[in-house]
C-alpha cells in the first residue's frame, strides 16, 4: 500500500503543550532497552513483581512529581489537559509506573480541595522532595460502600485523634509516606460521620501501625497493592482535612478529577496496543503479502484508531472542561470513567485477534508489551469507582439532566463551548471550590447540541470538506439529537427513585446510552472548533463520520456498513502517523520512537 506522507499542520496546541514532547524526549524510546522506562525492563519488573523504584526516580529527576502540586503552591500543575497528555506518555510505556506514581495526586487532592494553608504548604514540600501520597478509603468488608466505613478516629479530651482500623486494598499502602485516610469521627449512621485525616507515617509511633501483605494481582504486578492497619495511632487535631463530617464529600469531589484523568491511562495503553500490533502486521507475511495488506486486518486497525479518536475527543474536552464548567463534573467524570476504559478494553480485545498467538506470548514480540497492556489496562475500569458505580452515579442524575435540557435549549452557550473545545485557547485557572456533588441537571455539551447544527451549516462550501461528508455529519448529528430526545422520553417514564441503591436495570442501560451520546457530541464539537487547525485528515471529517457511526451504532436498528473509502483513508493516515512516530491522537505529538 503506497503512502504519501502528509505533514501535520503545526497548530498552536503543539506549542502550548510543548512540555509533552519534552517529556517524550527525556524518556527516550520505550523500544530502546537502554531508555529510562523500556518495555524490556518493564516486562522484567512485571515478571518478578518488583516495584519500579528506579523508574519513578528517573521520572522525578525530570520533576514530574511537581505536576501533582498546583502552581500556587510552587508546583507545575496548571492545566489538567497538560497532565492528561503527560500521563498518556508514561502510560504508553508502563501502566504500573503511571498508576502507582499518579496515586500521589489522588492522595493529595483532599488537601488541595479542602485542606488548610498549612497542610497545603506541608504537602507541597513533601511531594517536591519525592515523598509520595495515597488515598486510603476502601476496606476489606465494605468495598465501594464507603458509608459503612469501619476505621475510627476518636477525639480524646486532649483533642488528639486516635486512629484505629484497617484500610485494604490500597495502592502504595506500604510504600507511601503520607495518607489521606477516610475515617469515622462520630457515631452517626450517615455520610456526615466520615472525615479525612492527613497521616504522615514519619510522625507516627512505629508500634501504632502495621501492614497487610502485597496482594497478588493479574496486572500491574509490580505495584504495591497492600493494606495498612492503625492501632490507636495518635494524630494531632490539625490532621483533620476540611471540616469534620465532610470526608465523603471531599473524597467524591477528588474522584471527579481522577476519574477524568484516568482517560490518560487508558489512552496510553491503547496507543501501545495499536502500535505494537502495527509493528507485527507490517512485518508478518501471510499468503504472499503482509497482514496489513489484508483488508479485514487493515480495516480492523482503522476502526481501532477511530475509537481512539472518539475517546481522545472526550478525554481532551473533559480535561479542559474541568477548568471551565467545574460544577458539572459529577456528570462528565462519570461518563469519562465509564466510557473510555470500557472502549479501550474492547479495542485491545479486537486487536488481539489480529495478533493471533502473539498476543498471548509474554516475551516474543516487543517484549510481550501487548499482553502486559491488556492485563494492566483491565484494572482501570475498577478503581476510583468501578464502571457500575459510575453508571449508578450518572443514573441518579438522568431525570434532572433530561428536564434541565428541555428548559435550557437555545440558551447561549457558545462562549463556554468555544473555551472548552477550541484547542488553540488556554483554559482558565482551576478552582477546586467549584466542584459540586450534583450538576443541577447541567451538561453544556448536550444542552448545546442543537447549536452544533447551525455551526455545521456554516461549513457548507468549504473547500477542505466534501459536500457528501458534510451531509453525512449533519445527518448523523440530527440522528444524535433524535436519539437524545428519545432517551429523555424514556427517562421521563422511569419510576421515581425511592432508594439510591435500588435502581431498576433500565436506569443503567439509559446511563450507558447517555455516555455514548455525550461522547458523540464531543467529537462533533471538537471538529467544529478545530476544523482548520489539526491537519488535512482531521479537517476532511471522514473520521468524524466513522466515529459517529461507531459511537451511535447501538441506537441503530439496522447495521450500516462503514464507508470503505473512508476506512482506507483512515488506514493510510494511521500508517503515516506510525511511520513518523507520532501519537495516535487528533493532536499527534511527536514521540521518541
Amino acid at each position: 500500500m503506497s503512502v504519501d506522507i502528509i505533514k501535520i499542520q503545526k497548530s498552536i496546541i503543539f506549542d502550548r503543550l510543548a512540555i509533552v514532547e519534552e517529556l517524550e524526549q527525556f524518556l527516550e524510546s520505550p523500544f530502546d532497552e537502554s531508555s529510562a522506562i523500556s518495555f524490556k525492563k518493564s516486562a522484567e519488573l512485571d515478571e518478578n513483581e518488583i516495584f519500579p523504584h528506579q523508574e519513578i526516580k528517573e521520572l522525578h529527576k525530570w520533576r514530574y512529581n511537581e505536576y501533582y502540586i498546583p502552581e500556587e503552591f510552587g508546583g507545575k500543575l496548571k492545566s489538567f489537559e497538560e497532565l492528561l497528555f503527560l500521563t498518556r506518555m508514561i502510560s504508553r510505556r508502563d501502566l504500573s509506573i503511571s498508576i502507582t506514581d499518579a496515586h500521589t495526586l489522588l492522595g493529595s487532592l483532599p488537601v488541595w480541595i479542602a485542606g488548610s494553608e498549612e497542610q497545603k504548604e506541608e504537602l507541597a514540600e513533601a511531594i517536591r522532595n519525592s515523598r509520595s501520597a495515597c488515598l486510603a478509603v476502601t476496606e476489606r468488608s465494605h468495598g465501594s460502600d464507603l458509608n459503612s466505613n469501619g476505621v475510627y478516629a476518636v477525639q480524646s479530651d486532649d483533642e488528639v485523634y486516635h486512629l484505629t482500623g484497617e484500610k485494604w486494598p490500597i495502592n502504595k499502602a506500604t510504600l507511601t509516606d503520607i495518607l489521606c485516610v477516610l475515617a469515622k469521627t462520630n457515631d452517626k449512621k450517615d455520610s456526615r460521620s466520615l472525615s479525612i485525616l492527613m497521616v504522615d507515617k514519619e510522625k507516627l509511633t512505629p508500634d501504632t501501625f502495621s501492614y497487610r501483605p502485597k496482594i497478588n494481582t493479574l496486572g500491574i504486578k509490580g505495584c504495591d497493592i497492600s493494606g495498612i492497619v492503625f492501632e490507636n495511632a495518635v494524630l494531632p487535631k490539625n490532621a483533620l482535612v476540611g471540616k469534620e463530617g465532610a470526608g465523603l464529600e471531599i473524597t467524591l469531589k477528588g474522584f471527579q478529577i481522577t476519574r477524568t484523568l484516568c482517560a490518560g491511562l487508558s489512552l496510553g495503553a491503547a496507543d501501545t496496543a495499536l502500535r505494537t500490533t502495527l509493528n507485527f502486521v507490517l512485518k508478518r507475511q501471510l499468503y504472499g503479502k503482509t497482514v496489513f495488506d489484508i483488508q479485514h486486518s487493515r480495516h480492523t486497525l482503522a476502526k481501532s484508531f477511530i475509537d481512539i479518536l472518539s475517546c481522545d475527543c472526550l478525554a481532551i474536552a473533559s480535561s479542559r472542561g474541568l477548568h471551565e464548567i467545574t460544577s458539572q463534573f459529577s456528570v462528565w467524570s462519570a461518563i469519562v470513567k465509564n466510557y473510555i476504559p470500557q472502549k479501550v478494553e474492547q479495542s485491545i480485545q479486537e486487536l488481539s485477534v489480529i495478533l493471533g498467538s502473539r498476543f498471548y506470548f509474554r516475551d516474543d514480540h516487543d517484549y510481550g508489551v501487548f499482553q502486559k497492556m491488556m492485563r494492566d489496562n483491565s484494572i482501570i475500569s475498577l478503581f476510583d469507582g468501578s464502571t457500575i458505580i459510575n453508571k449508578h452515579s450518572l443514573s441518579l442524575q438522568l431525570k434532572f439532566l433530561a428536564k434541565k435540557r428541555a428548559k435550557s435549549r437555545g440558551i447561549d452557550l457558545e462562549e463556554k463551548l468555544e473555551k472548552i473545545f477550541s484547542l488553540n485557547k488556554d483554559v482558565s485557572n482551576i478552582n477546586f471550590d467549584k466542584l459540586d456533588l450534583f450538576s443541577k441537571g447541567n451538561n453544556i455539551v448536550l444542552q448545546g447540541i442543537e447549536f452544533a447544527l447551525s455551526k455545521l451549516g456554516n461549513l457548507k462550501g468549504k473547500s477542505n470538506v466534501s459536500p457528501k461528508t458534510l451531509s453525512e455529519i449533519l445527518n448523523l448529528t440530527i440522528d444524535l439529537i433524535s436519539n437524545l430526545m428519545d432517551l429523555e422520553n424514556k427517562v421521563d417514564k422511569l419510576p421515581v427513585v425511592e432508594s439510591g441503591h435500588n435502581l431498576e436495570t433500565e436506569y443503567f442501560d439509559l446511563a450507558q446510552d447517555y455516555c455514548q451520546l455525550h461522547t458523540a457530541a464531543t467529537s462533533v464539537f471538537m471538529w467544529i472548533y478545530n476544523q482548520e487547525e489539526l491537519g488535512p485528515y482531521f479537517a476532511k471529517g471522514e473520521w468524524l463520520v466513522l466515529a459517529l457511526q461507531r459511537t451511535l451504532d447501538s441506537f441503530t436498528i439496522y447495521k450500516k456498513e462503514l464507508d470503505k473509502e473512508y476506512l482506507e483513508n483512515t488506514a493510510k493516515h494511521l500508517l503515516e502517523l506510525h511511520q513518523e512516530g507520532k501519537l495516535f491522537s487528533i493532536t499527534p505529538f511527536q514521540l521518541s520512537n
Side-chain angles (χ1 to χ4, degrees), residues 545-591:
V545 173
L546 296 173
L548 292 174
Q549 287 174 329
R550 284 182 65 77
T551 308
L552 300 175
D553 182 68
S554 64
F555 293 92
T556 309
I557 297 174
Y558 60 93
K559 300 291 182 183
K560 184 175 181 180
E561 185 177 345
L562 300 181
D563 189 306
K564 288 185 179 179
E565 181 183 354
Y566 289 0
L567 286 171
E568 288 295 336
N569 290 340
T570 296
K572 178 180 178 181
H573 180 67
L574 173 62
L575 188 55
E576 291 165 1
L577 293 179
H578 184 59
Q579 291 181 337
E580 294 182 343
K582 292 186 174 174
L583 186 68
F584 298 143
S585 169
I586 62 169
T587 54
F589 289 95
Q590 183 64 54
L591 303 179

Side-chain angles (χ1 to χ4, degrees), residues 7-15 21 533 535 588-590:
K7 299 299 181 184
I8 301 297
Q9 178 181 332
K10 199 70 172 176
S11 173
I12 294 173
I13 187 175
F14 295 99
D15 294 326
E21 292 184 356
E533 302 295 332
F589 289 95
Q590 183 64 54

Side-chain angles (χ1 to χ4, degrees), residues 407-424:
K407 294 177 182 177
S408 60
R409 275 181 284 171
I411 292 177
D412 185 12
L413 305 171
E414 182 173 6
E415 185 178 344
K416 278 295 184 185
L417 286 168
E418 184 175 5
K419 191 77 172 173
I420 293 168
F421 287 98
S422 182
L423 299 188
N424 282 344

Side-chain angles (χ1 to χ4, degrees), residues 295-407:
Q295 188 187 77
H296 177 266
S297 299
R298 191 165 63 250
H299 286 186
T300 299
L301 291 162
K303 291 172 187 176
S304 179
F305 177 59
I306 289 296
D307 289 343
I308 288 176
L309 297 188
S310 294
C311 292
D312 206 24
C313 292
L314 175 59
I316 296 170
S318 300
S319 67
R320 293 173 62 84
L322 267 170
H323 295 258
E324 306 301 335
I325 49 166
T326 315
S327 63
Q328 297 181 23
F329 266 74
S330 60
V331 170
W332 279 51
S333 64
I335 293 170
V336 173
K337 186 59 167 55
N338 173 67
Y339 188 84
I340 293 180
Q342 271 193 108
K343 180 57 69 175
V344 171
E345 285 179 25
Q346 177 186 333
S347 181
I348 292 177
Q349 181 60 48
E350 290 171 356
L351 289 173
S352 74
V353 176
I354 297 178
L355 276 177
S357 61
R358 293 305 191 282
F359 108 85
Y360 207 69
F361 294 173
R362 286 157 60 180
D363 55 11
D364 182 62
H365 170 66
D366 286 348
Y367 312 101
V369 69
F370 185 96
Q371 220 273 347
K372 184 179 187 308
M373 284 295 175
M374 176 179 259
R375 286 184 286 110
D376 290 355
N377 177 70
S378 63
I379 191 67
I380 299 171
S381 61
L382 295 179
F383 53 61
D384 295 4
S386 65
T387 298
I388 198 68
I389 292 296
N390 283 285
K391 282 185 184 178
H392 180 267
S393 175
L394 185 57
S395 294
L396 292 174
Q397 300 193 62
L398 283 178
K399 281 187 174 289
F400 300 97
L401 290 164
K403 289 178 181 178
K404 189 64 177 282
R405 202 187 80 85
K407 294 177 182 177

Side-chain angles (χ1 to χ4, degrees), residues 349-555:
Q349 181 60 48
E350 290 171 356
L351 289 173
S352 74
V353 176
I354 297 178
L355 276 177
S357 61
R358 293 305 191 282
F359 108 85
Y360 207 69
F361 294 173
R362 286 157 60 180
D363 55 11
D364 182 62
H365 170 66
D366 286 348
Y367 312 101
V369 69
F370 185 96
Q371 220 273 347
K372 184 179 187 308
M373 284 295 175
M374 176 179 259
R375 286 184 286 110
D376 290 355
N377 177 70
S378 63
I379 191 67
I380 299 171
S381 61
L382 295 179
F383 53 61
D384 295 4
S386 65
T387 298
I388 198 68
I389 292 296
N390 283 285
K391 282 185 184 178
H392 180 267
S393 175
L394 185 57
S395 294
L396 292 174
Q397 300 193 62
L398 283 178
K399 281 187 174 289
F400 300 97
L401 290 164
K403 289 178 181 178
K404 189 64 177 282
R405 202 187 80 85
K407 294 177 182 177
S408 60
R409 275 181 284 171
I411 292 177
D412 185 12
L413 305 171
E414 182 173 6
E415 185 178 344
K416 278 295 184 185
L417 286 168
E418 184 175 5
K419 191 77 172 173
I420 293 168
F421 287 98
S422 182
L423 299 188
N424 282 344
K425 295 182 181 295
D426 281 317
V427 291
S428 306
N429 294 331
I430 185 66
N431 185 345
F432 293 108
D433 292 338
K434 289 186 177 181
L435 290 167
D436 200 325
L437 296 184
F438 181 54
S439 79
K440 301 177 178 63
N442 288 309
N443 178 358
I444 189 174
V445 165
L446 292 180
Q447 285 171 322
I449 189 61
E450 281 91 353
F451 169 70
L453 288 176
S454 63
K455 296 287 283 185
L456 289 170
N458 294 337
L459 294 176
K460 288 181 178 178
K462 291 268 186 176
S463 59
N464 53 5
V465 56
S466 73
K468 171 181 178 283
T469 303
L470 183 57
S471 176
E472 288 173 322
I473 293 170
L474 273 163
N475 289 334
L476 284 162
T477 304
I478 291 169
D479 285 346
L480 191 167
I481 296 169
S482 175
N483 286 315
L484 176 59
M485 294 174 71
D486 182 56
L487 179 145
E488 290 168 341
N489 288 332
K490 291 176 181 177
V491 167
D492 185 55
K493 295 174 183 176
L494 287 173
V496 176
V497 179
E498 294 183 3
S499 170
H501 298 289
N502 193 28
L503 291 177
E504 296 196 10
T505 302
E506 288 77 10
Y507 269 98
F508 292 90
D509 293 339
L510 291 173
Q512 179 65 33
D513 289 345
Y514 191 88
C515 291
Q516 291 171 242
L517 293 168
H518 177 98
T519 300
T522 60
S523 295
V524 173
F525 279 117
M526 194 64 75
W527 187 68
I528 287 172
Y529 282 103
N530 303 280
Q531 206 252 335
E532 297 180 350
E533 302 295 332
L534 297 175
Y537 173 77
F538 183 89
K540 286 172 65 178
E542 294 174 357
W543 72 271
L544 180 56
V545 173
L546 296 173
L548 292 174
Q549 287 174 329
R550 284 182 65 77
T551 308
L552 300 175
D553 182 68
S554 64
F555 293 92

Side-chain angles (χ1 to χ4, degrees), residues 27 48 60 68 74 82 129 161 199 204 212 223 296 303 306 316 321 334 349 395-396 492 497:
L27 293 175
N48 294 288
H60 291 192
Y68 304 139
E82 186 175 73
N129 290 324
Y161 287 99
V199 180
L204 295 181
R212 293 293 184 239
C223 289
H296 177 266
K303 291 172 187 176
I306 289 296
I316 296 170
Q349 181 60 48
S395 294
L396 292 174
D492 185 55
V497 179

Side-chain angles (χ1 to χ4, degrees), residues 72-271:
E72 60 189 294
F73 297 104
K76 297 181 178 181
L77 177 57
K78 61 180 179 180
S79 157
F80 289 118
E81 178 189 22
E82 186 175 73
L83 186 54
L84 173 79
F85 278 107
L86 292 173
T87 301
R88 286 172 77 164
M89 295 309 181
I90 299 170
S91 298
R92 81 180 192 90
R93 291 168 163 81
D94 190 341
L95 281 171
S96 292
I97 294 169
S98 59
I99 289 172
T100 200
D101 198 56
H103 205 74
T104 290
L105 177 66
L106 176 62
S108 61
L109 278 171
V111 176
W112 307 143
I113 291 169
S116 65
E117 291 301 303
E118 180 184 1
Q119 287 172 330
K120 291 174 182 176
E121 293 290 354
E122 179 185 344
L123 184 58
E125 181 65 19
I127 296 173
R128 266 195 300 273
N129 290 324
S130 286
R131 299 187 74 211
S132 62
C134 80
L135 182 67
V137 297
T138 54
E139 297 176 7
R140 190 183 300 265
S141 301
H142 306 126
S144 60
D145 184 7
L146 301 185
N147 266 330
S148 298
N149 199 294
V151 172
Y152 278 82
V154 179
Q155 199 168 9
S156 59
D157 293 339
D158 53 1
E159 295 193 327
V160 299
Y161 287 99
H162 295 264
L163 184 65
T164 300
E166 178 192 70
K167 289 295 182 182
W168 180 98
I170 305 298
N171 190 5
K172 290 196 299 188
T174 302
L175 297 179
T176 200
D177 301 293
I178 298 168
L179 305 94
C180 276
V181 180
L182 186 68
K184 276 187 177 293
T185 47
N186 60 57
D187 290 325
K188 294 179 181 178
K189 300 297 183 183
D190 58 27
S191 62
R192 288 297 170 184
S193 67
L194 301 172
S195 303
I196 291 280
L197 296 107
M198 189 168 84
V199 180
D200 188 332
K201 289 182 186 176
E202 282 190 352
K203 298 178 182 180
L204 295 181
T205 305
D207 62 357
T208 61
F209 68 98
S210 58
Y211 301 114
R212 293 293 184 239
K214 178 182 179 302
I215 300 165
N216 293 323
T217 54
L218 293 174
I220 57 169
K221 295 195 289 184
C223 289
D224 169 33
I225 311 294
S226 54
I228 187 167
V229 182
F230 299 101
E231 299 174 27
N232 201 32
V234 178
L235 305 175
K237 184 179 180 180
N238 64 7
L240 179 68
V241 177
K243 295 179 181 179
E244 195 168 286
L248 185 60
E249 179 180 342
I250 294 167
T251 299
L252 294 178
K253 286 180 177 179
F255 280 162
Q256 290 177 19
I257 294 171
T258 55
R259 285 170 178 171
T260 303
L261 294 176
C262 278
L265 303 173
S266 289
L267 286 170
D271 187 282

